[in-house]
Amino acid sequence: FSSSNELYQFEGAMALTNLLTSSEELRGRALQGGAWNLSKDLLFSDNEQVQCAGLEVMCNLSMSPEVLERFVDGKASVELQLLGAFCQSEEPRASIAASGALAMLADTPEVAERIAECQHCITGLLKLLESQDGNLQHRAMVLACAVVEASAEAASPVLEKVKVRLAQGFSSSFARGLAEELVKENA
């Protein structure tokens, strides 16, 4: 999907997004073919739908051990900043894909520490915690739990925002349960 035609870029990225859910072998082949960098390039498109499609590819590639290794080794600081920035997007597809990638990656403690050190990621997380969307609340709370566990410095503002959100209520019962448990464990 390196075509300059935005429709082809969008359709190619959407097709790849769907294919990437099928197997680890396919994700590996896509990475060997340069899918990570190509999808990252789409984030700089002027077309918001192309950006979203690129983020969705990156999110699905985040399940891959090769991608996780890049984040663990500290070779993905630009990607962390981009994902954190897109968590703040007003476009729901963009923030869902970006937060989904971060939530999956944060399951690894070394990556959770890197996320906690990334100001764009923390700012994005705090914005996600304001969302009324249950999907975003779920991702935000998974990410919040990982960040609080990874970093005492980042924990304070995140916990405060979680407490405020808990008082306001969650539309996602899963997110509410995580928030209650997180606040209880850090009381």
Side-chain angles (χ1 to χ4, degrees):
F1 48 91
S2 59
S3 169
S4 61
N5 183 310
E6 290 177 340
L7 179 61
Y8 292 147
Q9 290 175 327
F10 173 76
E11 288 180 349
M14 291 307 299
L16 184 57
T17 296
N18 292 332
L19 287 171
L20 292 173
T21 62
S22 64
S23 74
E24 185 54 47
E25 179 184 354
L26 203 132
R27 285 189 289 277
R29 287 180 185 254
L31 287 167
Q32 288 174 349
W36 183 259
N37 287 330
L38 289 171
S39 61
K40 187 170 61 171
D41 289 346
L42 295 180
L43 304 185
F44 298 99
S45 171
D46 291 332
N47 185 313
E48 199 171 71
Q49 295 305 310
V50 171
Q51 290 175 350
C52 290
L55 283 164
E56 289 169 349
V57 170
M58 290 179 76
C59 180
N60 286 356
L61 285 172
S62 294
M63 295 183 266
S64 172
E66 296 95 331
V67 171
L68 179 61
E69 185 177 320
R70 285 181 46 84
F71 282 87
V72 168
D73 293 343
K75 296 177 181 172
S77 61
V78 169
E79 287 90 336
L80 270 183
Q81 292 176 35
L82 287 168
L83 291 171
F86 275 103
C87 283
Q88 301 170 59
S89 175
E90 296 300 321
E91 169 57 49
R93 281 183 51 217
S95 52
I96 285 172
S99 60
L102 287 175
M104 284 188 289
L105 292 164
D107 193 44
T108 302
E110 298 90 346
V111 181
E113 289 173 21
R114 294 191 190 287
I115 291 170
E117 294 167 357
C118 175
Q119 190 54 51
H120 286 295
C121 290
I122 297 303
T123 302
L125 171 57
L126 296 176
K127 172 118 171 115
L128 289 170
L129 286 167
E130 296 173 0
S131 176
Q132 300 301 317
D133 182 300
N135 291 319
L136 287 174
Q137 290 174 358
H138 176 136
R139 289 162 174 78
M141 282 310 307
V142 168
L143 191 52
C145 290
V147 165
V148 167
E149 187 174 322
S151 168
E153 184 179 334
S156 180
V158 171
L159 278 170
E160 288 308 309
K161 191 67 144 186
V162 168
K163 289 175 187 175
V164 168
R165 181 73 235 196
L166 196 52
Q168 294 170 338
F170 283 92
S171 56
S172 164
S173 58
F174 181 80
R176 182 179 55 251
L178 284 177
E180 290 169 347
E181 187 176 322
L182 184 64
V183 169
K184 182 180 174 184
E185 290 175 357
N186 291 279

PDB file of all heavy atoms in Angstrom, residues 4-42:
ATOM      1  N   SER A   4       0.411   6.240  -4.075  1.00  0.00           N
ATOM      2  CA  SER A   4       0.066   7.596  -3.647  1.00  0.00           C
ATOM      3  C   SER A   4      -1.441   7.822  -3.686  1.00  0.00           C
ATOM      4  O   SER A   4      -1.948   8.794  -3.146  1.00  0.00           O
ATOM      5  CB  SER A   4       0.785   8.626  -4.510  1.00  0.00           C
ATOM      6  OG  SER A   4       0.390   8.477  -5.867  1.00  0.00           O
ATOM      7  N   ASN A   5      -2.165   6.925  -4.309  1.00  0.00           N
ATOM      8  CA  ASN A   5      -3.609   7.048  -4.350  1.00  0.00           C
ATOM      9  C   ASN A   5      -4.176   6.665  -2.981  1.00  0.00           C
ATOM     10  O   ASN A   5      -4.048   5.525  -2.541  1.00  0.00           O
ATOM     11  CB  ASN A   5      -4.168   6.145  -5.450  1.00  0.00           C
ATOM     12  CG  ASN A   5      -5.654   6.276  -5.607  1.00  0.00           C
ATOM     13  OD1 ASN A   5      -6.399   6.198  -4.628  1.00  0.00           O
ATOM     14  ND2 ASN A   5      -6.106   6.474  -6.821  1.00  0.00           N
ATOM     15  N   GLU A   6      -4.818   7.618  -2.325  1.00  0.00           N
ATOM     16  CA  GLU A   6      -5.310   7.396  -0.961  1.00  0.00           C
ATOM     17  C   GLU A   6      -6.321   6.264  -0.860  1.00  0.00           C
ATOM     18  O   GLU A   6      -6.340   5.543   0.140  1.00  0.00           O
ATOM     19  CB  GLU A   6      -5.902   8.690  -0.403  1.00  0.00           C
ATOM     20  CG  GLU A   6      -4.861   9.733  -0.125  1.00  0.00           C
ATOM     21  CD  GLU A   6      -5.453  11.041   0.364  1.00  0.00           C
ATOM     22  OE1 GLU A   6      -6.661  11.293   0.149  1.00  0.00           O
ATOM     23  OE2 GLU A   6      -4.698  11.809   0.967  1.00  0.00           O
ATOM     24  N   LEU A   7      -7.133   6.099  -1.875  1.00  0.00           N
ATOM     25  CA  LEU A   7      -8.113   5.020  -1.834  1.00  0.00           C
ATOM     26  C   LEU A   7      -7.407   3.667  -1.810  1.00  0.00           C
ATOM     27  O   LEU A   7      -7.758   2.783  -1.026  1.00  0.00           O
ATOM     28  CB  LEU A   7      -9.069   5.092  -3.026  1.00  0.00           C
ATOM     29  CG  LEU A   7     -10.118   3.983  -3.091  1.00  0.00           C
ATOM     30  CD1 LEU A   7     -11.018   4.011  -1.854  1.00  0.00           C
ATOM     31  CD2 LEU A   7     -10.953   4.131  -4.361  1.00  0.00           C
ATOM     32  N   TYR A   8      -6.386   3.505  -2.651  1.00  0.00           N
ATOM     33  CA  TYR A   8      -5.623   2.255  -2.652  1.00  0.00           C
ATOM     34  C   TYR A   8      -4.889   2.051  -1.334  1.00  0.00           C
ATOM     35  O   TYR A   8      -4.817   0.934  -0.818  1.00  0.00           O
ATOM     36  CB  TYR A   8      -4.619   2.223  -3.800  1.00  0.00           C
ATOM     37  CG  TYR A   8      -5.252   2.135  -5.168  1.00  0.00           C
ATOM     38  CD1 TYR A   8      -4.650   2.754  -6.253  1.00  0.00           C
ATOM     39  CD2 TYR A   8      -6.438   1.436  -5.388  1.00  0.00           C
ATOM     40  CE1 TYR A   8      -5.216   2.676  -7.522  1.00  0.00           C
ATOM     41  CE2 TYR A   8      -7.003   1.351  -6.642  1.00  0.00           C
ATOM     42  CZ  TYR A   8      -6.388   1.976  -7.713  1.00  0.00           C
ATOM     43  OH  TYR A   8      -6.947   1.895  -8.952  1.00  0.00           O
ATOM     44  N   GLN A   9      -4.354   3.123  -0.786  1.00  0.00           N
ATOM     45  CA  GLN A   9      -3.665   3.024   0.507  1.00  0.00           C
ATOM     46  C   GLN A   9      -4.647   2.570   1.582  1.00  0.00           C
ATOM     47  O   GLN A   9      -4.354   1.671   2.368  1.00  0.00           O
ATOM     48  CB  GLN A   9      -3.055   4.365   0.899  1.00  0.00           C
ATOM     49  CG  GLN A   9      -1.878   4.779   0.054  1.00  0.00           C
ATOM     50  CD  GLN A   9      -1.392   6.166   0.411  1.00  0.00           C
ATOM     51  OE1 GLN A   9      -2.170   7.046   0.799  1.00  0.00           O
ATOM     52  NE2 GLN A   9      -0.093   6.369   0.284  1.00  0.00           N
ATOM     53  N   PHE A  10      -5.807   3.198   1.597  1.00  0.00           N
ATOM     54  CA  PHE A  10      -6.822   2.862   2.595  1.00  0.00           C
ATOM     55  C   PHE A  10      -7.287   1.416   2.435  1.00  0.00           C
ATOM     56  O   PHE A  10      -7.302   0.651   3.406  1.00  0.00           O
ATOM     57  CB  PHE A  10      -8.012   3.823   2.466  1.00  0.00           C
ATOM     58  CG  PHE A  10      -9.172   3.449   3.335  1.00  0.00           C
ATOM     59  CD1 PHE A  10      -9.144   3.691   4.699  1.00  0.00           C
ATOM     60  CD2 PHE A  10     -10.299   2.838   2.803  1.00  0.00           C
ATOM     61  CE1 PHE A  10     -10.205   3.338   5.512  1.00  0.00           C
ATOM     62  CE2 PHE A  10     -11.367   2.484   3.599  1.00  0.00           C
ATOM     63  CZ  PHE A  10     -11.318   2.734   4.958  1.00  0.00           C
ATOM     64  N   GLU A  11      -7.664   1.034   1.228  1.00  0.00           N
ATOM     65  CA  GLU A  11      -8.170  -0.322   1.001  1.00  0.00           C
ATOM     66  C   GLU A  11      -7.098  -1.370   1.277  1.00  0.00           C
ATOM     67  O   GLU A  11      -7.383  -2.420   1.852  1.00  0.00           O
ATOM     68  CB  GLU A  11      -8.712  -0.455  -0.423  1.00  0.00           C
ATOM     69  CG  GLU A  11     -10.013   0.290  -0.608  1.00  0.00           C
ATOM     70  CD  GLU A  11     -10.594   0.175  -2.008  1.00  0.00           C
ATOM     71  OE1 GLU A  11      -9.901  -0.311  -2.931  1.00  0.00           O
ATOM     72  OE2 GLU A  11     -11.752   0.572  -2.181  1.00  0.00           O
ATOM     73  N   GLY A  12      -5.871  -1.090   0.884  1.00  0.00           N
ATOM     74  CA  GLY A  12      -4.771  -2.021   1.148  1.00  0.00           C
ATOM     75  C   GLY A  12      -4.531  -2.196   2.630  1.00  0.00           C
ATOM     76  O   GLY A  12      -4.343  -3.321   3.121  1.00  0.00           O
ATOM     77  N   ALA A  13      -4.542  -1.088   3.360  1.00  0.00           N
ATOM     78  CA  ALA A  13      -4.319  -1.154   4.810  1.00  0.00           C
ATOM     79  C   ALA A  13      -5.462  -1.889   5.504  1.00  0.00           C
ATOM     80  O   ALA A  13      -5.229  -2.684   6.422  1.00  0.00           O
ATOM     81  CB  ALA A  13      -4.147   0.245   5.386  1.00  0.00           C
ATOM     82  N   MET A  14      -6.694  -1.645   5.067  1.00  0.00           N
ATOM     83  CA  MET A  14      -7.834  -2.331   5.683  1.00  0.00           C
ATOM     84  C   MET A  14      -7.774  -3.838   5.404  1.00  0.00           C
ATOM     85  O   MET A  14      -8.054  -4.648   6.295  1.00  0.00           O
ATOM     86  CB  MET A  14      -9.155  -1.737   5.187  1.00  0.00           C
ATOM     87  CG  MET A  14      -9.405  -0.321   5.688  1.00  0.00           C
ATOM     88  SD  MET A  14      -9.277  -0.146   7.481  1.00  0.00           S
ATOM     89  CE  MET A  14     -10.554  -1.234   8.027  1.00  0.00           C
ATOM     90  N   ALA A  15      -7.408  -4.197   4.184  1.00  0.00           N
ATOM     91  CA  ALA A  15      -7.287  -5.624   3.858  1.00  0.00           C
ATOM     92  C   ALA A  15      -6.191  -6.266   4.710  1.00  0.00           C
ATOM     93  O   ALA A  15      -6.376  -7.354   5.266  1.00  0.00           O
ATOM     94  CB  ALA A  15      -6.982  -5.798   2.370  1.00  0.00           C
ATOM     95  N   LEU A  16      -5.068  -5.576   4.838  1.00  0.00           N
ATOM     96  CA  LEU A  16      -3.973  -6.106   5.647  1.00  0.00           C
ATOM     97  C   LEU A  16      -4.381  -6.208   7.115  1.00  0.00           C
ATOM     98  O   LEU A  16      -4.064  -7.197   7.782  1.00  0.00           O
ATOM     99  CB  LEU A  16      -2.725  -5.236   5.489  1.00  0.00           C
ATOM    100  CG  LEU A  16      -1.473  -5.724   6.204  1.00  0.00           C
ATOM    101  CD1 LEU A  16      -1.099  -7.139   5.771  1.00  0.00           C
ATOM    102  CD2 LEU A  16      -0.317  -4.759   5.946  1.00  0.00           C
ATOM    103  N   THR A  17      -5.094  -5.219   7.608  1.00  0.00           N
ATOM    104  CA  THR A  17      -5.577  -5.253   8.995  1.00  0.00           C
ATOM    105  C   THR A  17      -6.366  -6.535   9.246  1.00  0.00           C
ATOM    106  O   THR A  17      -6.155  -7.223  10.246  1.00  0.00           O
ATOM    107  CB  THR A  17      -6.467  -4.026   9.292  1.00  0.00           C
ATOM    108  OG1 THR A  17      -5.677  -2.851   9.175  1.00  0.00           O
ATOM    109  CG2 THR A  17      -7.067  -4.084  10.678  1.00  0.00           C
ATOM    110  N   ASN A  18      -7.261  -6.852   8.329  1.00  0.00           N
ATOM    111  CA  ASN A  18      -8.077  -8.055   8.478  1.00  0.00           C
ATOM    112  C   ASN A  18      -7.236  -9.324   8.384  1.00  0.00           C
ATOM    113  O   ASN A  18      -7.418 -10.253   9.163  1.00  0.00           O
ATOM    114  CB  ASN A  18      -9.199  -8.076   7.439  1.00  0.00           C
ATOM    115  CG  ASN A  18     -10.220  -6.992   7.695  1.00  0.00           C
ATOM    116  OD1 ASN A  18     -10.426  -6.565   8.839  1.00  0.00           O
ATOM    117  ND2 ASN A  18     -10.854  -6.521   6.648  1.00  0.00           N
ATOM    118  N   LEU A  19      -6.314  -9.368   7.443  1.00  0.00           N
ATOM    119  CA  LEU A  19      -5.462 -10.546   7.285  1.00  0.00           C
ATOM    120  C   LEU A  19      -4.573 -10.779   8.509  1.00  0.00           C
ATOM    121  O   LEU A  19      -4.309 -11.927   8.873  1.00  0.00           O
ATOM    122  CB  LEU A  19      -4.577 -10.400   6.042  1.00  0.00           C
ATOM    123  CG  LEU A  19      -5.278 -10.539   4.695  1.00  0.00           C
ATOM    124  CD1 LEU A  19      -4.333 -10.142   3.559  1.00  0.00           C
ATOM    125  CD2 LEU A  19      -5.785 -11.955   4.515  1.00  0.00           C
ATOM    126  N   LEU A  20      -4.124  -9.711   9.135  1.00  0.00           N
ATOM    127  CA  LEU A  20      -3.198  -9.838  10.266  1.00  0.00           C
ATOM    128  C   LEU A  20      -3.824 -10.512  11.482  1.00  0.00           C
ATOM    129  O   LEU A  20      -3.101 -10.950  12.373  1.00  0.00           O
ATOM    130  CB  LEU A  20      -2.649  -8.463  10.659  1.00  0.00           C
ATOM    131  CG  LEU A  20      -1.713  -7.823   9.640  1.00  0.00           C
ATOM    132  CD1 LEU A  20      -1.380  -6.394  10.047  1.00  0.00           C
ATOM    133  CD2 LEU A  20      -0.452  -8.649   9.449  1.00  0.00           C
ATOM    134  N   THR A  21      -5.121 -10.614  11.511  1.00  0.00           N
ATOM    135  CA  THR A  21      -5.775 -11.283  12.640  1.00  0.00           C
ATOM    136  C   THR A  21      -5.742 -12.793  12.501  1.00  0.00           C
ATOM    137  O   THR A  21      -6.044 -13.510  13.448  1.00  0.00           O
ATOM    138  CB  THR A  21      -7.248 -10.832  12.784  1.00  0.00           C
ATOM    139  OG1 THR A  21      -7.958 -11.202  11.598  1.00  0.00           O
ATOM    140  CG2 THR A  21      -7.352  -9.334  13.018  1.00  0.00           C
ATOM    141  N   SER A  22      -5.350 -13.289  11.325  1.00  0.00           N
ATOM    142  CA  SER A  22      -5.467 -14.723  11.069  1.00  0.00           C
ATOM    143  C   SER A  22      -4.364 -15.573  11.672  1.00  0.00           C
ATOM    144  O   SER A  22      -4.641 -16.667  12.145  1.00  0.00           O
ATOM    145  CB  SER A  22      -5.593 -14.997   9.571  1.00  0.00           C
ATOM    146  OG  SER A  22      -4.418 -14.600   8.907  1.00  0.00           O
ATOM    147  N   SER A  23      -3.094 -15.114  11.655  1.00  0.00           N
ATOM    148  CA  SER A  23      -2.049 -15.983  12.191  1.00  0.00           C
ATOM    149  C   SER A  23      -0.758 -15.214  12.467  1.00  0.00           C
ATOM    150  O   SER A  23      -0.489 -14.182  11.850  1.00  0.00           O
ATOM    151  CB  SER A  23      -1.746 -17.134  11.224  1.00  0.00           C
ATOM    152  OG  SER A  23      -1.008 -16.678  10.107  1.00  0.00           O
ATOM    153  N   GLU A  24       0.032 -15.778  13.351  1.00  0.00           N
ATOM    154  CA  GLU A  24       1.336 -15.200  13.654  1.00  0.00           C
ATOM    155  C   GLU A  24       2.257 -15.314  12.445  1.00  0.00           C
ATOM    156  O   GLU A  24       3.073 -14.426  12.193  1.00  0.00           O
ATOM    157  CB  GLU A  24       1.960 -15.881  14.884  1.00  0.00           C
ATOM    158  CG  GLU A  24       3.256 -15.263  15.321  1.00  0.00           C
ATOM    159  CD  GLU A  24       3.146 -13.768  15.572  1.00  0.00           C
ATOM    160  OE1 GLU A  24       2.195 -13.330  16.238  1.00  0.00           O
ATOM    161  OE2 GLU A  24       4.021 -13.018  15.081  1.00  0.00           O
ATOM    162  N   GLU A  25       2.131 -16.406  11.708  1.00  0.00           N
ATOM    163  CA  GLU A  25       2.967 -16.581  10.508  1.00  0.00           C
ATOM    164  C   GLU A  25       2.719 -15.447   9.516  1.00  0.00           C
ATOM    165  O   GLU A  25       3.659 -14.889   8.947  1.00  0.00           O
ATOM    166  CB  GLU A  25       2.671 -17.929   9.849  1.00  0.00           C
ATOM    167  CG  GLU A  25       3.492 -18.164   8.591  1.00  0.00           C
ATOM    168  CD  GLU A  25       3.136 -19.455   7.868  1.00  0.00           C
ATOM    169  OE1 GLU A  25       2.328 -20.246   8.395  1.00  0.00           O
ATOM    170  OE2 GLU A  25       3.682 -19.658   6.773  1.00  0.00           O
ATOM    171  N   LEU A  26       1.459 -15.103   9.310  1.00  0.00           N
ATOM    172  CA  LEU A  26       1.128 -14.028   8.386  1.00  0.00           C
ATOM    173  C   LEU A  26       1.657 -12.682   8.893  1.00  0.00           C
ATOM    174  O   LEU A  26       2.160 -11.878   8.111  1.00  0.00           O
ATOM    175  CB  LEU A  26      -0.384 -13.965   8.162  1.00  0.00           C
ATOM    176  CG  LEU A  26      -0.717 -13.283   6.846  1.00  0.00           C
ATOM    177  CD1 LEU A  26      -1.728 -14.107   6.084  1.00  0.00           C
ATOM    178  CD2 LEU A  26      -1.241 -11.913   7.112  1.00  0.00           C
ATOM    179  N   ARG A  27       1.560 -12.451  10.206  1.00  0.00           N
ATOM    180  CA  ARG A  27       2.106 -11.204  10.766  1.00  0.00           C
ATOM    181  C   ARG A  27       3.618 -11.150  10.541  1.00  0.00           C
ATOM    182  O   ARG A  27       4.162 -10.099  10.201  1.00  0.00           O
ATOM    183  CB  ARG A  27       1.756 -11.078  12.244  1.00  0.00           C
ATOM    184  CG  ARG A  27       0.299 -10.704  12.482  1.00  0.00           C
ATOM    185  CD  ARG A  27      -0.002 -10.365  13.930  1.00  0.00           C
ATOM    186  NE  ARG A  27       0.033 -11.530  14.799  1.00  0.00           N
ATOM    187  CZ  ARG A  27      -0.978 -12.375  14.970  1.00  0.00           C
ATOM    188  NH1 ARG A  27      -2.114 -12.184  14.317  1.00  0.00           N
ATOM    189  NH2 ARG A  27      -0.874 -13.395  15.788  1.00  0.00           N
ATOM    190  N   GLY A  28       4.288 -12.280  10.711  1.00  0.00           N
ATOM    191  CA  GLY A  28       5.732 -12.338  10.478  1.00  0.00           C
ATOM    192  C   GLY A  28       6.095 -12.016   9.040  1.00  0.00           C
ATOM    193  O   GLY A  28       7.036 -11.267   8.773  1.00  0.00           O
ATOM    194  N   ARG A  29       5.335 -12.582   8.115  1.00  0.00           N
ATOM    195  CA  ARG A  29       5.590 -12.311   6.695  1.00  0.00           C
ATOM    196  C   ARG A  29       5.334 -10.842   6.358  1.00  0.00           C
ATOM    197  O   ARG A  29       6.056 -10.237   5.580  1.00  0.00           O
ATOM    198  CB  ARG A  29       4.736 -13.214   5.821  1.00  0.00           C
ATOM    199  CG  ARG A  29       5.208 -14.648   5.816  1.00  0.00           C
ATOM    200  CD  ARG A  29       4.301 -15.489   4.933  1.00  0.00           C
ATOM    201  NE  ARG A  29       4.667 -16.874   5.008  1.00  0.00           N
ATOM    202  CZ  ARG A  29       5.288 -17.531   4.052  1.00  0.00           C
ATOM    203  NH1 ARG A  29       5.611 -16.911   2.941  1.00  0.00           N
ATOM    204  NH2 ARG A  29       5.589 -18.805   4.192  1.00  0.00           N
ATOM    205  N   ALA A  30       4.286 -10.298   6.939  1.00  0.00           N
ATOM    206  CA  ALA A  30       3.975  -8.884   6.691  1.00  0.00           C
ATOM    207  C   ALA A  30       5.098  -7.996   7.222  1.00  0.00           C
ATOM    208  O   ALA A  30       5.499  -7.029   6.563  1.00  0.00           O
ATOM    209  CB  ALA A  30       2.640  -8.517   7.347  1.00  0.00           C
ATOM    210  N   LEU A  31       5.610  -8.332   8.385  1.00  0.00           N
ATOM    211  CA  LEU A  31       6.721  -7.551   8.942  1.00  0.00           C
ATOM    212  C   LEU A  31       7.967  -7.667   8.065  1.00  0.00           C
ATOM    213  O   LEU A  31       8.659  -6.671   7.833  1.00  0.00           O
ATOM    214  CB  LEU A  31       7.026  -8.000  10.372  1.00  0.00           C
ATOM    215  CG  LEU A  31       5.999  -7.566  11.407  1.00  0.00           C
ATOM    216  CD1 LEU A  31       6.210  -8.318  12.716  1.00  0.00           C
ATOM    217  CD2 LEU A  31       6.068  -6.058  11.623  1.00  0.00           C
ATOM    218  N   GLN A  32       8.239  -8.869   7.575  1.00  0.00           N
ATOM    219  CA  GLN A  32       9.384  -9.060   6.670  1.00  0.00           C
ATOM    220  C   GLN A  32       9.219  -8.235   5.404  1.00  0.00           C
ATOM    221  O   GLN A  32      10.206  -7.774   4.824  1.00  0.00           O
ATOM    222  CB  GLN A  32       9.553 -10.533   6.309  1.00  0.00           C
ATOM    223  CG  GLN A  32      10.077 -11.378   7.429  1.00  0.00           C
ATOM    224  CD  GLN A  32      10.084 -12.870   7.079  1.00  0.00           C
ATOM    225  OE1 GLN A  32       9.508 -13.297   6.080  1.00  0.00           O
ATOM    226  NE2 GLN A  32      10.743 -13.654   7.920  1.00  0.00           N
ATOM    227  N   GLY A  33       7.991  -8.040   4.981  1.00  0.00           N
ATOM    228  CA  GLY A  33       7.705  -7.249   3.788  1.00  0.00           C
ATOM    229  C   GLY A  33       7.669  -5.747   4.030  1.00  0.00           C
ATOM    230  O   GLY A  33       7.387  -4.985   3.112  1.00  0.00           O
ATOM    231  N   GLY A  34       7.919  -5.324   5.271  1.00  0.00           N
ATOM    232  CA  GLY A  34       7.973  -3.894   5.576  1.00  0.00           C
ATOM    233  C   GLY A  34       6.667  -3.274   6.011  1.00  0.00           C
ATOM    234  O   GLY A  34       6.520  -2.043   6.002  1.00  0.00           O
ATOM    235  N   ALA A  35       5.704  -4.085   6.426  1.00  0.00           N
ATOM    236  CA  ALA A  35       4.379  -3.560   6.790  1.00  0.00           C
ATOM    237  C   ALA A  35       4.426  -2.571   7.944  1.00  0.00           C
ATOM    238  O   ALA A  35       3.636  -1.626   7.981  1.00  0.00           O
ATOM    239  CB  ALA A  35       3.431  -4.716   7.125  1.00  0.00           C
ATOM    240  N   TRP A  36       5.334  -2.782   8.901  1.00  0.00           N
ATOM    241  CA  TRP A  36       5.393  -1.867  10.049  1.00  0.00           C
ATOM    242  C   TRP A  36       5.723  -0.445   9.584  1.00  0.00           C
ATOM    243  O   TRP A  36       5.024   0.504   9.919  1.00  0.00           O
ATOM    244  CB  TRP A  36       6.404  -2.367  11.078  1.00  0.00           C
ATOM    245  CG  TRP A  36       6.459  -1.510  12.295  1.00  0.00           C
ATOM    246  CD1 TRP A  36       7.404  -0.554  12.596  1.00  0.00           C
ATOM    247  CD2 TRP A  36       5.523  -1.484  13.381  1.00  0.00           C
ATOM    248  NE1 TRP A  36       7.105   0.044  13.791  1.00  0.00           N
ATOM    249  CE2 TRP A  36       5.965  -0.508  14.293  1.00  0.00           C
ATOM    250  CE3 TRP A  36       4.359  -2.194  13.657  1.00  0.00           C
ATOM    251  CZ2 TRP A  36       5.279  -0.227  15.477  1.00  0.00           C
ATOM    252  CZ3 TRP A  36       3.682  -1.911  14.836  1.00  0.00           C
ATOM    253  CH2 TRP A  36       4.141  -0.940  15.722  1.00  0.00           C
ATOM    254  N   ASN A  37       6.790  -0.307   8.815  1.00  0.00           N
ATOM    255  CA  ASN A  37       7.199   1.027   8.369  1.00  0.00           C
ATOM    256  C   ASN A  37       6.201   1.633   7.385  1.00  0.00           C
ATOM    257  O   ASN A  37       5.948   2.844   7.429  1.00  0.00           O
ATOM    258  CB  ASN A  37       8.604   0.996   7.774  1.00  0.00           C
ATOM    259  CG  ASN A  37       9.658   0.819   8.843  1.00  0.00           C
ATOM    260  OD1 ASN A  37       9.488   1.246   9.982  1.00  0.00           O
ATOM    261  ND2 ASN A  37      10.753   0.176   8.492  1.00  0.00           N
ATOM    262  N   LEU A  38       5.638   0.804   6.523  1.00  0.00           N
ATOM    263  CA  LEU A  38       4.636   1.316   5.593  1.00  0.00           C
ATOM    264  C   LEU A  38       3.402   1.819   6.334  1.00  0.00           C
ATOM    265  O   LEU A  38       2.849   2.872   6.002  1.00  0.00           O
ATOM    266  CB  LEU A  38       4.244   0.239   4.576  1.00  0.00           C
ATOM    267  CG  LEU A  38       5.308  -0.105   3.535  1.00  0.00           C
ATOM    268  CD1 LEU A  38       4.892  -1.335   2.732  1.00  0.00           C
ATOM    269  CD2 LEU A  38       5.564   1.065   2.614  1.00  0.00           C
ATOM    270  N   SER A  39       2.965   1.068   7.340  1.00  0.00           N
ATOM    271  CA  SER A  39       1.787   1.514   8.103  1.00  0.00           C
ATOM    272  C   SER A  39       2.111   2.770   8.905  1.00  0.00           C
ATOM    273  O   SER A  39       1.270   3.666   9.030  1.00  0.00           O
ATOM    274  CB  SER A  39       1.256   0.404   9.001  1.00  0.00           C
ATOM    275  OG  SER A  39       2.213   0.010   9.945  1.00  0.00           O
ATOM    276  N   LYS A  40       3.327   2.850   9.412  1.00  0.00           N
ATOM    277  CA  LYS A  40       3.734   4.064  10.140  1.00  0.00           C
ATOM    278  C   LYS A  40       3.727   5.273   9.207  1.00  0.00           C
ATOM    279  O   LYS A  40       3.298   6.361   9.594  1.00  0.00           O
ATOM    280  CB  LYS A  40       5.118   3.856  10.767  1.00  0.00           C
ATOM    281  CG  LYS A  40       5.555   4.982  11.668  1.00  0.00           C
ATOM    282  CD  LYS A  40       6.802   4.651  12.458  1.00  0.00           C
ATOM    283  CE  LYS A  40       7.973   4.371  11.563  1.00  0.00           C
ATOM    284  NZ  LYS A  40       9.238   4.245  12.271  1.00  0.00           N
ATOM    285  N   ASP A  41       4.153   5.074   7.962  1.00  0.00           N
ATOM    286  CA  ASP A  41       4.132   6.171   6.980  1.00  0.00           C
ATOM    287  C   ASP A  41       2.715   6.684   6.744  1.00  0.00           C
ATOM    288  O   ASP A  41       2.510   7.880   6.504  1.00  0.00           O
ATOM    289  CB  ASP A  41       4.731   5.710   5.651  1.00  0.00           C
ATOM    290  CG  ASP A  41       6.239   5.502   5.713  1.00  0.00           C
ATOM    291  OD1 ASP A  41       6.879   5.954   6.693  1.00  0.00           O
ATOM    292  OD2 ASP A  41       6.774   4.855   4.782  1.00  0.00           O
ATOM    293  N   LEU A  42       1.730   5.795   6.819  1.00  0.00           N
ATOM    294  CA  LEU A  42       0.339   6.206   6.595  1.00  0.00           C
ATOM    295  C   LEU A  42      -0.151   7.171   7.676  1.00  0.00           C
ATOM    296  O   LEU A  42      -1.086   7.941   7.446  1.00  0.00           O
ATOM    297  CB  LEU A  42      -0.584   4.988   6.532  1.00  0.00           C
ATOM    298  CG  LEU A  42      -0.368   4.038   5.359  1.00  0.00           C
ATOM    299  CD1 LEU A  42      -1.349   2.875   5.431  1.00  0.00           C
ATOM    300  CD2 LEU A  42      -0.485   4.762   4.025  1.00  0.00           C
TER     301      LEU A  42
END
